[in-house]
Amino acid sequence: MELQNYNKKYQSRNHLVYSCQYHVIFCPKYRRKVLTDGIDERLKQLITETQEEYGYEVLDMEVMPDHVHLLLDVDPKVGIYSVVTKIKGYTSKQLREQFPALKKRIPTLWTRSKFISSVGSVSLDVVKRYIEEQKHV
């Protein structure tokens, strides 16, 4: 049995080949609709400009007025939790400095909560079957 990659991109870094994608969602404090009027576009720029430094690649991104969706490919040596924490910390600091009205509307930009789900191009059952069939190769 062969695993198909369906256009899955693999990264290679320091003796490691990986493909680790995650769907991430996080929200402003109190789910306030503050990601508008240029804040949304600046947020996208900030998230994009820290990719290399923080060890991730943005595959897709959508900023809604009250939440953010990211599809990230993350270096497993760094880890998704660390990446999301860094993104939220950096963007909060930058946006609150650049848009002072945010400080008046909410005490902190982001909630402490986040949603993180791994994303794969093949199902868990397919991978399990592939591993099991290795015994018979």
Side-chain angles (χ1 to χ4, degrees), residues 50-115:
T50 55
Q51 293 178 99
E52 191 171 324
E53 179 183 353
Y54 291 167
Y56 67 92
E57 179 183 350
V58 176
L59 303 176
D60 202 0
M61 173 175 20
E62 192 58 59
V63 177
M64 306 302 289
D66 64 348
H67 66 283
V68 178
H69 286 271
L70 301 174
L71 181 58
L72 303 176
D73 194 339
V74 178
D75 184 334
K77 289 183 177 181
V78 177
I80 185 63
Y81 186 86
S82 174
V83 164
V84 175
T85 300
K86 288 176 181 178
I87 289 171
K88 288 173 70 176
Y90 176 72
T91 58
S92 177
K93 181 180 186 312
Q94 294 298 316
L95 290 173
R96 288 167 59 82
E97 286 176 1
Q98 295 169 24
F99 298 90
L102 285 173
K103 292 180 184 178
K104 296 175 185 165
R105 297 225 26 220
I106 46 181
T108 60
L109 180 55
W110 305 118
T111 65
R112 290 177 45 207
S113 301
K114 57 191 91 33
F115 168 85

Side-chain angles (χ1 to χ4, degrees), residues 3-72:
L3 284 174
Q4 296 179 2
N5 68 15
Y6 301 104
N7 300 321
K8 189 168 191 139
K9 184 177 170 188
Y10 290 86
Q11 306 284 345
S12 180
R13 221 173 260 144
N14 299 331
H15 309 289
L16 173 68
V17 178
Y18 67 91
S19 179
C20 300
Q21 293 83 36
Y22 299 91
H23 178 204
V24 176
I25 305 170
F26 52 90
C27 307
K29 190 80 168 173
Y30 311 125
R31 193 111 189 207
R32 294 266 167 83
K33 295 181 179 188
V34 297
L35 305 176
T36 59
D37 302 324
I39 295 172
D40 50 347
E41 290 306 315
R42 182 63 182 135
L43 175 60
K44 288 179 181 180
Q45 292 171 347
L46 292 169
I47 291 171
T48 302
E49 72 187 24
T50 55
Q51 293 178 99
E52 191 171 324
E53 179 183 353
Y54 291 167
Y56 67 92
E57 179 183 350
V58 176
L59 303 176
D60 202 0
M61 173 175 20
E62 192 58 59
V63 177
M64 306 302 289
D66 64 348
H67 66 283
V68 178
H69 286 271
L70 301 174
L71 181 58
L72 303 176

